[in-house]
Amino acid sequence: MVFFRSVAVLSKLRSRLAQQSTSLGSVRWLQIQSASDLDLHSQLKDLIPEQQERLKKLKAENGKVQLGNITVDMVIGGMRGMTGLLWETSLLDPDEGIRFRGLSIPECQKLLPAASPGGEPLPEGLLWLLLTGKVPSKEQVDSLSKELHSRSKVPDHVYKAINALPPTAHPMTQFTTGVMALQVESEFQKAYDKGLSKAKFWEPTYEDSMNLIARLPVVASFVYRRIYKEGQIIPADSSLDYGANFSHVLGYDDPKMMELMRLYVTIHSDHEGGNVSAHTAHLVGSALSDPYLSFAAALNGLAGPLHGLANQEVLLWIKSLVEECGENITTEQLKDYIWKTLNSGKVVPGYGHGVLRKTDPRYTCQREFALKHLPDDPLFQLVSKLYEVVPPILTHLGKVKNPWPNVDAHSGVLLNHFGLSEARYYTVLFGVSRSIGIGSQLIWDRALGLPLERPKSVTMEWLENYCKKAA
Ligand code: NMX
Ligand code: MLT
């Protein structure tokens, strides 16, 4: 982590120097930057052998070190708290929240290149960071933006596959269908069929992951415009960065919405390896299913209401609250509405977490965005009020381990503010972003030669007998 921090500081300095020298009309920085400095693939190629050695050493020297005890509760309880996965791109602390390659969200906001000074991080910068562990310069990020644009052509059959579905199909169903249709172009599958050696698996995985990340905004916006905008498609603008262009092809050109999209795509990208979507991709990928197959599987997990679909549920829940009580809602009315939700056997969407035990920093940075750009938005004010009222009620239930809001409690009201009000679509946005984390880790999975995932399962009878003997 210390290494990444110092690299981060150096990179920031380098980036500042680069910006300075550009503004001074100097070419000093350009002279010391080679083509391979700007090429993510070359950077990765240099890093892989040392990381392979690192893993080999770890296994040889510490392979038998114990990481904790497995309890019956863990086996029955969705493996909560059980350490069982290697995931390089990010790590989640229950109290502090996510760190991408060692950097917290506020640190990413400070260190990663932005579209304009002090702006939100560019998602391409995060992709570079997740893949290499290094904070990129603005030039590296710009080069990656270009690379993604150059990879973004979507074949016609993908649109035909989506069009075969009724427009009423859930946006996530349409989106995943698009991803499955993209799969026919998998470089990994072609190379594997030809007998590619294991040492080279990461190369076509890189191609597939980068193509997937590049093409998803096109597919996602096609789904959006098909369902909600009478199929009027907006062509990509290759002068824009990834987040801004995504906002543009959806039909939102307000610079503040573009800035929101950069933040949105950055913070939803990765949440260590155990969450349903990331874990699914890792599991499916471990069978050497290509990145398209692995990511489509991940999306199907993301489409569940306890995971990514919670962002849809939150906005629908808030809007039905407003419908029921009007805009000037009292604290008592809020409490009644929350209890009504709980008493009808439902969860309060956007609250709680499988690992986090404090307010999700992804919630906090979205709140800061709202305070800066839309402080008077009535739904934002309602979200702020819920932040005061929900946690004591969930705590009162006595069984909820984390009464604090997660990322999904906030995202909908921001999008809604800028006109993207179709809540059923929200999980697709989450999905586009999640491809950045999943795609990066799939490349490392293959580079590190990680094996087939196959944990042991047992029956209740096995557990009963085991516990009897242990007593
Ligand atoms: N509202 C009502 N009950 C809750 C909530 C909530 N927000 N969160 C947890 N509980 C209940 C949970 O259903 C369980 O009840 P029971 O024993 O009757 O089955 C009990 O509290 C203990 O659950 P926890 O151990 O606190 O939470 P767990 O790790 O099992 O689940 C979530 C985590 C995220 C699934 C859960 O907190 C939840 O359902 N939250 C609402 C849905 C949501 O916001 N999901 C999005 C998560 C983030 N993401 O994007 O993926
Ligand atoms: C995520 O971003 O994947 C969610 O917060 C769920 C999780 O981490 O388990």
Side-chain angles (χ1 to χ4, degrees), residues 314 317 338 341-342 346-352 386 390 393-394 406:
V314 168
W317 184 74
I338 295 159
T341 303
L342 293 170
K346 293 180 184 157
V347 294
V348 175
Y351 280 76
L386 284 165
V390 174
I393 296 180
L394 291 183
N406 60 56

Side-chain angles (χ1 to χ4, degrees), residues 92 268 271 274-277 307 353-355 360 362 407 430 434:
L92 183 61
H268 286 79
H271 217 228
N275 67 76
V276 171
S277 51
H307 189 21
H353 201 271
V355 177
D360 190 336
R362 297 173 299 177
V407 66
F430 195 156
R434 191 47 56 105

Side-chain angles (χ1 to χ4, degrees), residues 127 145 147-159 162 175 178-179 181-187 190 206-223 236 242 245-246 249 292 295 425 428 431-432 435-436:
L127 171 57
S145 280
E147 177 177 350
L148 291 173
H149 274 297
S150 74
R151 291 175 178 271
S152 66
K153 174 107 184 71
V154 169
D156 264 357
H157 74 263
V158 174
Y159 304 120
I162 296 171
F175 184 46
V179 172
L182 283 173
Q183 190 274 341
V184 302
E185 300 215 326
S186 170
E187 296 295 331
K190 277 184 233 159
Y206 178 89
E207 292 305 312
D208 281 356
S209 294
M210 296 297 279
N211 286 341
L212 179 66
I213 292 166
R215 290 169 194 180
L216 286 180
V218 183
V219 176
S221 62
F222 179 79
V223 170
Y242 188 85
N245 182 56
F246 188 24
V249 291
Y292 297 95
F295 183 66
Y425 184 74
V428 175
V432 170
S435 70
I436 292 179

